[in-house]
Amino acid sequence: MFFLKLHAKQFLLSTALIPSLALTTTVKVHAASNTEDAFDNAANTFFWDIMDSSPINLHYSFSFPEDYEPSDNPPLGSFSETFTETAEILNRAKENLSAVEYNSLTAKQKQVYQLMKHYIDINLEYCTLPDYTSTLGPMSGILSTLNTTITEYYLLSEQDIINYLDVLKDIPRFLNDVLKEIEHQESIGYVPSLYAFEQALENKDAMTTLENHPYLEAFESNVSETGLSDDVVNNYTKQVKTVLTDEVLPAFSSFYETLENKKASAGESKGLAFYDQGKEYYELLVRDNTGTDMTPLELKDYLTDKLTQGLMNLSQSYSYNPNLLNDLDSLTAPKTDADAILQTLNQKAAECMPDIGDTTYTLSYLPEALQVPNNLAYYLSSPLDNESRNIIRINPSEVGDDSMVLWTTMAHEGYPGHLYQHQYFMQNSFEYNIETLIG
């Protein structure tokens, strides 16, 4: 189970990378003496079950996770067509919640209880349906998740570098697992579309050549935070290059060759409704991603009404100002630099929203190999023990030169969007670690 918190996409418990480290810690759970303690134990057990299942989860949740040691499981985990491990964790969490007397909880505990119950029920339902995971999807597929995981892998200590090398060495096995996943989906009639194959293959040259490889570029940038000497850094850089050259690049070459062969028999994309239980899967996706119990048809009617009302309002405004559409087309942002835009938006947000004080962030543009279509940017939430580590990455190929696109994108990812929302939550509402994973 993999929980890299990218906005806007939180990867499903049942559909992601499943790495493993055995957590050795004394934090965990204590004997429950009353209902409130029983709930605290249920929430903490669920959180640590998820942490135990994946070194990546632990790495991204804590800047310096001290109380763990590697298990014999592969760093990047394995796919499970039956979601056995996922179901075990979810059922254990459900059983622990069922032992809690809801009416005796505090208001905050009731809120987190409902959050956990909704999440558990949704993901247990995924476990009962065919695996229609978007394996090759450019935004939410397993490949794009892997690339983001590797390039965003922050390095704060020498141990982080050692762990990073282990992750790189596991990529060949992991890519083979991806192919097995695709073959499993083919066996149930769910074949990636021609478009999905074409999008996945677009990165072939970048991912199979050492020069300007995104993994190497990211390492050379991230390693500076370790504070290690130049000699030590140079030695590890050589090791990274060796692993990439001898293991990772050949694995990607073989992987892409297999995709090329499979692409020949791929067809156009079909809606989920054409597949066995696909309608149920789509309805579940809608409930999961919208947070509403409305059916897809009810949502369609709701959105149609909203769009119709919006068009009527626009038409009315146009009657008052016939130049309105031309004015909108010529609208430009007061700032054109991304960082300057974020600073301005932060100041404006403080004028009309609760103040969250000064926040820090790292802002940069994605390398060409990671610039996937239809994804303007993303925000990566800070670790639990380091609220100042906020990451925003911009996709220049999608943002383009339009200052208004950049302005609205920074508002969405930064202030008053995801960065503001996360920081406000951490300062004012955060009590349970599990909230940061499933909230």
Side-chain angles (χ1 to χ4, degrees):
M1 283 152 292
F2 174 66
F3 274 89
L4 178 62
K5 287 292 285 286
L6 291 176
H7 297 278
K9 176 63 185 174
Q10 178 178 335
F11 298 97
L12 301 173
L13 186 72
S14 60
T15 63
L17 308 176
I18 311 180
S20 294
L21 276 190
L23 188 69
T24 307
T25 177
T26 57
V27 176
K28 303 247 176 151
V29 187
H30 55 273
S33 58
N34 55 46
T35 297
E36 293 181 16
D37 284 346
F39 174 77
D40 289 350
N41 287 346
N44 288 333
T45 298
F46 192 26
F47 174 80
W48 285 111
D49 274 349
I50 294 170
M51 289 296 102
D52 284 0
S53 74
S54 168
I56 299 295
N57 290 341
L58 201 62
H59 179 79
Y60 279 99
S61 294
F62 299 100
S63 295
F64 297 98
E66 299 173 349
D67 298 324
Y68 70 94
E69 60 184 23
S71 71
D72 293 332
N73 295 321
L76 288 173
S78 303
F79 293 105
S80 172
E81 294 157 5
T82 58
F83 305 132
T84 303
E85 181 187 0
T86 298
E88 287 177 358
I89 291 177
L90 291 168
N91 280 314
R92 180 161 56 249
K94 185 175 183 178
E95 182 179 353
N96 289 339
L97 270 190
S98 67
V100 173
E101 186 179 343
Y102 178 80
N103 291 331
S104 298
L105 298 176
T106 66
K108 175 62 178 181
Q109 287 178 323
K110 288 180 178 179
Q111 179 188 39
V112 180
Y113 180 104
Q114 292 291 345
L115 182 67
M116 288 176 60
K117 184 177 184 304
H118 173 79
Y119 185 86
I120 292 166
D121 290 344
I122 286 282
N123 279 279
L124 279 174
E125 199 167 340
Y126 276 117
C127 292
T128 68
L129 294 171
D131 180 10
Y132 294 139
T133 305
S134 177
T135 311
L136 298 180
M139 290 182 62
S140 58
I142 294 168
L143 272 184
S144 61
T145 306
L146 173 66
N147 288 337
T148 303
T149 301
I150 302 300
T151 55
E152 296 293 353
Y153 197 102
Y154 56 81
L155 305 167
L156 304 181
S157 67
E158 190 166 7
Q159 185 60 51
D160 283 340
I161 300 177
I162 295 171
N163 294 342
Y164 177 79
L165 285 166
D166 287 338
V167 171
L168 287 182
K169 293 174 183 177
D170 193 42
I171 288 176
R173 183 207 55 80
F174 179 80
L175 291 176
N176 190 52
D177 265 12
V178 174
L179 293 177
K180 289 180 180 178
E181 170 72 2
I182 294 173
E183 289 169 359
H184 164 70
Q185 291 183 324
E186 288 174 341
S187 72
I188 61 174
Y190 186 66
V191 180
S193 68
L194 180 62
Y195 173 78
F197 278 110
E198 290 173 344
Q199 291 299 312
L201 288 164
E202 273 195 358
N203 288 341
K204 177 181 177 180
D205 291 341
M207 300 304 294
T208 56
T209 306
L210 183 62
E211 185 179 2
N212 299 323
H213 196 285
Y215 294 0
L216 179 59
E217 288 185 351
F219 175 82
E220 291 174 336
S221 174
N222 298 339
V223 75
S224 62
E225 291 194 74
T226 62
L228 297 173
S229 68
D230 290 344
D231 288 343
V232 173
V233 169
N234 289 337
N235 178 54
Y236 278 121
T237 301
K238 290 179 182 177
Q239 292 185 48
V240 169
K241 288 181 178 179
T242 299
V243 173
L244 287 174
T245 301
D246 295 346
E247 303 180 46
V248 176
L249 301 189
F252 268 111
S253 295
S254 176
F255 176 80
Y256 284 120
E257 182 180 353
T258 303
L259 290 191
E260 288 277 13
N261 294 332
K262 290 183 176 294
K263 173 189 169 185
S265 59
E268 297 302 318
S269 177
K270 294 195 300 183
L272 282 169
F274 288 92
Y275 298 99
D276 180 40
Q277 292 186 282
K279 180 180 178 181
E280 291 83 354
Y281 191 93
Y282 181 80
E283 290 174 343
L284 184 59
L285 280 176
V286 170
R287 278 196 287 130
D288 185 21
N289 287 281
T290 64
T292 176
D293 288 329
M294 282 192 283
T295 67
L297 288 179
E298 289 172 338
L299 269 175
K300 179 184 176 182
D301 291 341
Y302 172 82
L303 292 173
T304 299
D305 289 342
K306 290 294 183 182
L307 288 171
T308 301
Q309 184 60 52
L311 288 172
M312 291 175 63
N313 293 339
L314 181 61
S315 177
Q316 186 175 32
S317 298
Y318 182 76
S319 67
Y320 298 143
N321 178 13
N323 294 319
L324 178 62
L325 296 181
N326 290 330
D327 292 344
L328 288 174
D329 286 338
S330 60
L331 190 64
T332 59
K335 304 284 184 180
T336 57
D337 175 74
D339 190 43
I341 290 174
L342 278 174
Q343 293 181 36
T344 301
L345 288 169
N346 189 17
Q347 296 169 359
K348 295 294 183 182
E351 296 174 5
C352 57
M353 303 182 72
D355 187 14
I356 58 172
D358 294 331
T359 56
T360 60
Y361 54 82
T362 299
L363 176 69
S364 65
Y365 286 84
L366 289 168
E368 185 176 356
L370 301 181
Q371 295 174 19
V372 300
N374 303 317
N375 185 14
L376 294 171
Y378 64 78
Y379 164 66
L380 179 61
S381 305
S382 62
L384 289 167
D385 56 354
N386 186 4
E387 293 179 20
S388 65
R389 191 177 188 83
N390 299 282
I391 308 293
I392 295 178
R393 305 292 188 212
I394 303 170
N395 183 352
S397 65
E398 291 296 306
V399 172
D401 298 325
D402 191 327
S403 64
M404 283 305 300
V405 172
L406 182 60
W407 180 275
T408 54
T409 299
M410 291 300 93
H412 180 91
E413 304 297 346
Y415 311 97
H418 294 305
L419 191 156
Y420 175 91
Q421 177 191 28
H422 177 71
Q423 289 298 314
Y424 179 85
F425 166 74
M426 295 298 291
Q427 294 177 23
N428 296 279
S429 182
F430 168 67
E431 289 185 25
Y432 292 91
N433 287 339
I434 192 63
E435 294 179 85
T436 63
L437 296 185
I438 66 175

